[in-house]
Amino acid sequence: MSDPAAKASHRAAETHFVITRADGTVIDLGRGVYWHRNPLRRLWWRLWGQPRFTRRARAANRSAARAAGKEL
């Protein structure tokens, strides 16, 4: 049996979200998806980071709906 030639050394992964509207307005929603090898950092993200991102995304959706003439 052969051993793997390389070991994955990924420690973290994240995705940032930015909204660019037709009128040129840019809204930075920040980090929306986060994973880290350390379970304490993942817990921190679930307890503190994810709720903050969810609030920012919902606020952006509400403002877009108001601008379009709809109410959420």
Side-chain angles (χ1 to χ4, degrees):
M1 208 174 259
S2 64
D3 291 330
K7 182 179 177 184
S9 62
H10 302 311
R11 292 182 181 217
E14 60 187 42
T15 303
H16 289 266
F17 292 94
V18 177
I19 297 173
T20 304
R21 299 225 167 112
D23 64 356
T25 306
V26 177
I27 301 171
D28 184 11
L29 295 178
R31 179 174 31 192
V33 180
Y34 180 75
W35 178 87
H36 197 278
R37 179 185 287 181
N38 185 338
L40 293 177
R41 288 193 182 195
R42 289 195 307 258
L43 177 65
W44 170 85
W45 173 253
R46 281 190 215 117
L47 295 176
W48 190 80
Q50 186 66 43
R52 291 184 69 218
F53 171 75
T54 303
R55 282 195 304 270
R56 287 191 304 266
R58 286 183 180 166
N61 287 335
R62 279 193 304 269
S63 68
R66 282 188 202 119
K70 301 175 186 174
E71 189 64 35
L72 290 178

